[in-house]
Amino acid sequence: MFNLIFLGRKILYGCMKIRGALETLVSALSPIEHAKASKNEVQPALMNSDLLSREVENISLLLSLLSEEDFYVRYYTLQLLTALLTNSPNRLQEAILTIPRGITRLMDMLMDREVIRNEALLLLTYLTREAEEIQKILVFEGAFEKIFSIIKEEGGSDGGVVVQDCLELLNNLIRNNASNQTINILGVLDTINLLLHGGPLTDPGKDTNGLANKTVLVQNKVLDHLLMLGVESQWAPVAVRCMALRCIGDLVVNHAKNRDSLASKVLGEDPQVEPALNSILRIILRTSSMQEFIATDYVFKSFCEKNPDGQTMLASTLIPQPYSMSNAQLEEDVNMSFGRMLLHGLITSEADGDLETCCRAASVLSHVLKDNNQCKEKVLQIKLEAPTPSLGGPEPLMHRMVKYLALASSMRGKEGKASTYGSMYVQTIILKLLIVWLYDCPSAVQCFLDSRPHLTYLVELISNQTVTIYMMGLAAILLGECVIYNKTIDTGKDAYTIVDAISQKVGLTSYFVKFDEMQKSLLFTSAKPTLPRKTLSRSSAASMSEIEDIDENESTDQKNEDHPILVMGLDSDFVLFVKELEAKVREQIVEIYSRPKSQVAVVPAALEQNSGESDAEYIKRLKRFVEKQCLEIQDLLSRNATLAEDLAKTSGNGSSQLEHRSSGGSERVQIETLRRDLHEASQRLETIKAEKARIESEASSHQNLASKLDSDLKSLSDAYNSLEQVNFQLEHEVKALKSSGAVPIPDIESIKAEAREEAQKESETELNDLLVCLGQEQSKVEKLSARLMELGEDVDNLLDGVGDDVGIPGEDEEEEKEED
């Protein structure tokens, strides 16, 4: 107990000594005021301040005392620091910046007891008058929140001198400091953003809340202020402009009235006023900021989303201008329409080898065309003049886009240096435009295939190992659209020809693997909703205000998949769209590949003999039909064999190895599909073979039956001949009796007629029965012959020689016998 009391007295004695020392130093730094002081007289306070502030260790020691528990130690330390700041401001400011946690300790004093807090307010007010770096650090440490908390505690506008000190400190933090001003504006924009997105995702009323907030905000002129910040105020920091533009996009997306309001807005002052959408497009085409391009592109994406009327309105302004006008700079014609400005951006960057502007314009055009066939047909009609008339006539805009897609691989940046990094996202954005354009639009597919090199280029791009995985995949998707939306019947452009090109030059298995690899790429697996929102904190706001934009030189060090424009272009909406389209492509290509080129509809009427057609011509036509069917069957068997070979190559490393691949789900599905198709084809072949054997057996039995019938017919003919011979003998005997005159002569002719009639009746009855049987058997033989011809058998060879050895007496023979 004695030791504790002794220690407590020692600490108390130490604190009293520190208090005394601090109080002495405060007095030494306080100026002596007397009326008769000369201006040239040495001022001890200034001299002492200079001596004390020369060593940074002294300032560090004083700041450490702010952590002491003794109230007076903290109080006198703050007074001493204020005195030093008054007499030697620059030196003290520099010292505080170099001391770790120096400003943090001063900020902690704002949450201390009232007297300490008020002294800290005065100190910070002096400290922030002309020190921009200290101003930024204070804001980063939460100065705004603490200042407003003190103002609220002191009664707000009814407060006294403390509130005045708080306002003075607040003004110091904002005055001549754009960064801190920006943080406030970013905070307001973040509040608007929260209102636009309604409640949490799990809230059923989220969409309703968001729509209601959008309506109210536009009614209260928020859209005008956002346009002023994001579009008109180019002096504002990039972070502010970008966030304002994103808020504009959120205001109009899925809100018809707000979209119409944006479309009707005009910016600028007379006489140079233009629609707000034109101004936003001008920013897209001219800005040097990548982040600003992404934000403005989001505005057009939001405006065109489920807005066919708005898309049609924008597409209606797409009118080609003369080539001389296309070389004009954007700033030379403020009155240029939206469509002319967009076309200008699409085609003017070719001359200097920089397709950056074309890429940006292509992104906007993809929004205008998305899910709107009317706009797609409209843009298909656009023809561009050739730079030199002698090089050819006008070419469709789509063909120019494909040309730029090929040129992008050799694109050069603004400084004339090759830019693989730039061509990577330029090609991707142009591929996206073409995919959106050809989707569910047969006329667009027809236009694309009108130039034969386009198909060749796509096939080569799919097999080009120097491009990225997702570029090969997107090229495969584009080629697949040329199959599933192909309605042409022209040879060389039809879907069958394209599938054949894929099979021969790429291979179906390799082609489908491109889809799987694309889906596994980082861009597709990590695709997020467009412009994901992050919570705005003091630190993030401060960092946003200081970073103007992504430096392209630094961006080249990033992985290609991390590029912001690629992330923008391949967002979650487009990734989902590609996945659904991929399934359609797979199904259609397999269906086309697994059936013959020209399916002939087997209509019974088509196999009947035409009127006026001779038997020989009819037989020749049937033979050609059978030969065609045989060729198509052979083609089908060949395709199945190819599928089997692809399956064998795919599973060449062993089925167990495929089973254990973590990412082999889709491959296994594909392999099982091929196995099932091959198994079904084998079963069909076995069934055909069995059917053929059955038909041959039936044909043989019917041939035997026909032989038997022929034999019966010969027997009947022999019986008839015997009857004729008997009749002849009777007639001879009758003649003999007539000549002898021995017996009464009966009516020979009557008897002969009766006998002949009776014999003829019996013969006709048997013949009719036989002919009925022959007709039934002949019908069966014809059906079996048709079936054999479908299976490729030569019916004439099978029936050759049947019935040749059977002789049936003709009517001429019978007449001769009767005459005899």
Side-chain angles (χ1 to χ4, degrees):
M1 178 63 73
F2 175 77
N3 290 336
L4 288 175
I5 294 174
F6 176 77
L7 182 59
R9 287 179 178 176
K10 186 174 182 181
I11 293 173
L12 180 60
Y13 180 69
C15 290
M16 292 178 64
K17 288 172 59 178
I18 294 173
R19 288 184 206 166
L22 291 171
E23 191 173 4
T24 301
L25 290 172
V26 170
S27 299
L29 300 183
S30 299
I32 300 174
E33 297 183 1
H34 48 84
K36 296 182 180 181
S38 173
K39 292 184 180 180
N40 297 326
E41 183 179 349
V42 176
Q43 297 183 11
L46 293 177
M47 185 180 296
N48 293 334
S49 297
D50 180 70
L51 291 172
L52 184 60
S53 61
R54 283 182 182 178
E55 301 293 335
V56 177
E57 289 79 6
N58 295 338
I59 308 301
S60 179
L61 176 61
L62 291 175
L63 290 174
S64 67
L65 293 176
L66 294 176
S67 302
E68 293 290 333
E69 295 182 0
D70 186 85
F71 168 80
Y72 290 101
V73 170
R74 300 198 304 278
Y75 177 73
Y76 288 129
T77 300
L78 287 172
Q79 283 191 330
L80 182 57
L81 289 171
T82 303
L84 281 172
L85 188 60
T86 304
N87 298 328
S88 303
N90 294 333
R91 189 175 291 174
L92 186 64
Q93 290 170 355
E94 293 174 1
I96 289 177
L97 284 173
T98 60
I99 297 172
R101 290 183 52 80
I103 294 179
T104 304
R105 290 174 179 171
L106 293 177
M107 286 290 295
D108 292 340
M109 296 299 99
L110 291 178
M111 308 306 293
D112 209 320
R113 294 166 59 177
E114 185 175 341
V115 176
I116 301 292
R117 182 199 68 190
N118 294 342
E119 287 294 330
L121 268 176
L122 290 174
L123 173 62
L124 291 174
T125 300
Y126 290 131
L127 191 62
T128 56
R129 279 179 180 169
E130 307 229 345
E132 184 176 349
E133 291 302 318
I134 293 179
Q135 293 170 2
K136 291 181 180 180
I137 296 174
L138 284 176
V139 172
F140 184 80
E141 293 287 341
F144 285 142
E145 292 89 340
K146 292 179 180 179
I147 290 172
F148 284 115
S149 176
I150 295 172
I151 291 175
K152 185 177 180 180
E153 290 178 5
E154 294 295 321
S157 59
D158 295 330
V161 66
V162 176
V163 174
Q164 294 178 16
D165 292 339
C166 287
L167 292 176
E168 184 178 356
L169 175 58
L170 183 63
N171 292 337
N172 289 347
L173 295 176
I174 297 176
R175 185 184 295 113
N176 299 325
N177 195 319
S179 175
N180 288 348
Q181 295 168 6
T182 300
I183 292 174
N184 289 341
I185 297 174
L186 287 173
V188 174
L189 293 174
D190 189 53
T191 301
I192 295 174
N193 175 57
L194 292 173
L195 293 173
L196 293 177
H197 286 84
L201 295 176
T202 56
D203 185 359
K206 169 184 176 293
D207 293 337
T208 304
N209 294 336
L211 289 174
N213 292 342
K214 291 177 183 180
T215 303
V216 173
L217 287 171
V218 172
Q219 288 174 350
N220 287 275
K221 310 297 182 184
V222 170
L223 180 58
D224 296 333
H225 296 297
L226 292 173
L227 287 170
M228 184 272 294
L229 274 176
V231 182
E232 293 184 285
S233 302
Q234 290 301 303
W235 47 263
V238 172
V240 172
R241 299 202 304 269
C242 291
M243 198 162 186
L245 287 165
R246 290 168 186 167
C247 287
I248 293 173
D250 290 334
L251 267 178
V252 302
V253 67
N254 297 325
H255 198 292
K257 289 185 177 180
N258 290 0
R259 288 196 301 254
D260 295 341
S261 178
L262 176 61
S264 64
K265 293 292 182 184
V266 292
L267 303 179
E269 298 180 358
D270 290 332
Q272 292 187 340
V273 295
E274 65 176 352
L277 290 175
N278 288 30
S279 300
I280 297 173
L281 177 61
R282 192 180 300 277
I283 293 173
I284 286 182
L285 301 178
R286 293 174 57 185
T287 183
S288 59
S289 166
M290 188 183 304
Q291 296 298 323
E292 191 170 20
F293 156 59
I294 294 173
T296 46
D297 183 83
Y298 177 67
V299 174
F300 279 105
K301 180 179 185 296
S302 302
F303 178 80
C304 295
E305 187 75 23
K306 299 178 182 178
N307 184 18
D309 293 337
Q311 291 172 303
T312 304
M313 181 267 293
L314 295 178
S316 65
T317 64
L318 288 165
I319 303 174
Q321 64 262 37
Y323 182 73
S324 58
M325 281 293 297
S326 66
N327 288 328
Q329 297 296 323
L330 287 178
E331 53 268 22
E332 292 179 5
D333 186 5
V334 179
N335 297 320
M336 191 179 288
S337 69
F338 177 90
R340 284 183 176 271
M341 195 186 308
L342 185 59
L343 286 175
H344 187 281
L346 284 170
I347 65 176
T348 55
S349 56
E350 176 187 356
D352 57 2
D354 179 16
L355 296 176
E356 174 75 24
T357 305
C358 172
C359 165
R360 297 179 178 188
S363 181
V364 176
L365 182 59
S366 68
H367 302 320
V368 175
L369 300 182
K370 183 183 178 185
D371 298 330
N372 193 318
N373 278 8
Q374 183 179 352
C375 292
K376 294 176 183 179
E377 298 286 352
K378 164 70 178 175
V379 181
L380 280 177
Q381 306 305 317
I382 295 177
K383 306 287 185 182
L384 302 175
E385 292 185 8
T388 305
S390 61
L391 295 179
E395 64 175 331
L397 176 62
M398 177 182 285
H399 291 195
R400 186 70 65 88
M401 290 299 99
V402 180
K403 173 185 175 182
Y404 290 162
L405 176 63
L407 286 176
S409 60
S410 58
M411 187 183 77
R412 296 185 176 275
K414 295 180 180 179
E415 297 180 357
K417 298 179 179 180
S419 176
T420 305
Y421 155 80
S423 66
M424 170 191 61
Y425 68 77
V426 169
Q427 285 183 297
T428 303
I429 296 300
I430 296 179
L431 276 172
K432 178 182 177 181
L433 167 63
L434 293 173
I435 289 172
V436 170
W437 202 341
L438 267 61
Y439 177 75
D440 197 21
C441 187
S443 55
V445 173
Q446 176 72 37
C447 179
F448 180 84
L449 295 175
D450 281 344
S451 178
R452 190 172 297 273
H454 290 176
L455 180 60
T456 304
Y457 172 71
L458 270 189
V459 172
E460 291 175 353
L461 186 58
I462 293 172
S463 306
N464 189 350
Q465 298 299 321
T466 64
V467 301
T468 57
I469 292 173
Y470 48 85
M471 281 179 59
M472 289 188 284
L474 292 178
I477 288 290
L478 183 59
L479 190 58
E481 286 183 317
C482 294
V483 175
I484 62 178
Y485 302 120
N486 191 326
K487 304 301 180 183
T488 184
I489 58 175
D490 297 341
T491 304
K493 298 180 183 178
D494 59 347
Y496 185 88
T497 301
I498 297 173
V499 173
D500 260 1
I502 294 173
S503 173
Q504 294 174 12
K505 298 181 181 180
V506 181
L508 286 186
T509 301
S510 299
Y511 176 76
F512 290 139
V513 164
K514 304 301 180 186
F515 294 160
D516 301 328
E517 292 176 346
M518 176 179 64
Q519 297 294 352
K520 296 172 188 174
S521 65
L522 178 62
L523 271 173
F524 274 69
T525 56
S526 61
K528 299 176 182 178
T530 306
L531 298 174
R533 308 299 180 184
K534 295 182 179 179
T535 303
L536 189 70
S537 61
R538 292 193 303 273
S539 59
S540 63
S543 61
M544 284 176 64
S545 66
E546 292 176 4
I547 297 176
E548 282 293 300
D549 193 26
I550 294 177
D551 185 359
E552 184 164 335
N553 294 327
E554 293 179 0
S555 299
T556 56
D557 296 333
Q558 300 177 346
K559 291 183 178 179
N560 292 341
E561 290 81 357
D562 294 339
H563 194 278
I565 295 182
L566 282 177
V567 175
M568 173 207 75
L570 303 181
D571 59 9
S572 59
D573 293 338
F574 184 71
V575 168
L576 180 60
F577 164 75
V578 167
K579 287 182 178 179
E580 294 174 351
L581 186 57
E582 174 194 325
K584 297 179 183 178
V585 171
R586 285 180 184 268
E587 180 180 355
Q588 187 71 9
I589 287 182
V590 170
E591 180 181 351
I592 293 176
Y593 187 80
S594 60
R595 60 178 169 81
K597 180 178 181 180
S598 56
Q599 286 185 323
V600 180
V602 181
V603 182
L607 297 178
E608 294 179 356
Q609 188 171 5
N610 300 328
S611 60
E613 186 179 25
S614 65
D615 292 343
E617 292 175 348
Y618 178 53
I619 292 173
K620 286 181 180 179
R621 184 162 61 85
L622 291 180
K623 283 184 177 180
R624 288 196 299 269
F625 176 81
V626 172
E627 289 173 359
K628 191 173 185 180
Q629 292 287 351
C630 290
L631 290 175
E632 291 180 355
I633 290 173
Q634 291 297 327
D635 181 57
L636 178 60
L637 294 174
S638 174
R639 289 173 179 271
N640 287 334
T642 303
L643 290 173
E645 290 176 5
D646 289 342
L647 175 61
K649 292 176 182 178
T650 304
S651 57
N653 294 330
S655 58
S656 60
Q657 191 172 4
L658 281 173
E659 295 293 333
H660 293 295
R661 286 175 59 186
S662 60
S663 59
S666 58
E667 287 88 343
R668 288 196 298 273
V669 172
Q670 182 182 359
I671 291 170
E672 289 302 322
T673 302
L674 293 174
R675 284 175 178 167
R676 186 174 62 254
D677 292 343
L678 183 59
H679 180 66
E680 291 175 357
S682 300
Q683 286 183 333
R684 287 198 299 270
L685 186 59
E686 292 298 328
T687 303
I688 291 173
K689 288 180 178 179
E691 182 72 10
K692 179 182 176 184
R694 185 181 66 80
I695 291 174
E696 288 177 348
S697 175
E698 290 183 2
S700 177
S701 64
H702 284 289
Q703 286 176 359
N704 295 334
L705 180 59
S707 299
K708 181 178 179 300
L709 291 174
D710 287 338
S711 176
D712 293 342
L713 184 60
K714 183 179 179 182
S715 300
L716 181 61
S717 178
D718 292 341
Y720 184 79
N721 291 335
S722 300
L723 183 61
E724 288 291 329
Q725 290 175 0
V726 171
N727 184 46
F728 177 75
Q729 291 175 359
L730 288 174
E731 286 180 352
H732 183 71
E733 291 177 1
V734 169
K735 287 180 180 180
L737 289 173
K738 281 182 180 181
S739 61
S740 64
V743 293
I745 300 173
D747 189 354
I748 300 299
E749 293 298 329
S750 176
I751 295 172
K752 181 179 178 180
E754 290 177 1
R756 184 178 295 172
E757 183 179 358
E758 183 178 355
Q760 189 172 357
K761 285 181 180 180
E762 292 179 359
S763 175
E764 286 179 355
T765 301
E766 293 181 1
L767 264 175
N768 289 336
D769 293 341
L770 182 59
L771 290 174
V772 169
C773 293
L774 281 173
Q776 293 175 350
E777 295 303 323
Q778 182 65 25
S779 176
K780 292 181 180 180
V781 170
E782 289 177 355
K783 292 180 180 179
L784 292 173
S785 299
R787 183 57 178 165
L788 285 170
M789 285 190 289
E790 290 179 4
L791 295 173
E793 293 293 335
D794 193 339
V795 180
D796 294 337
N797 290 338
L798 291 175
L799 298 179
D800 189 22
V802 176
D804 289 348
D805 55 343
V806 179
I808 300 176
E811 293 181 358
D812 294 338
E813 256 180 58
E814 295 178 5
E815 290 177 358
E816 289 176 4
K817 291 182 181 180
E818 289 178 3
E819 290 175 357
D820 293 338

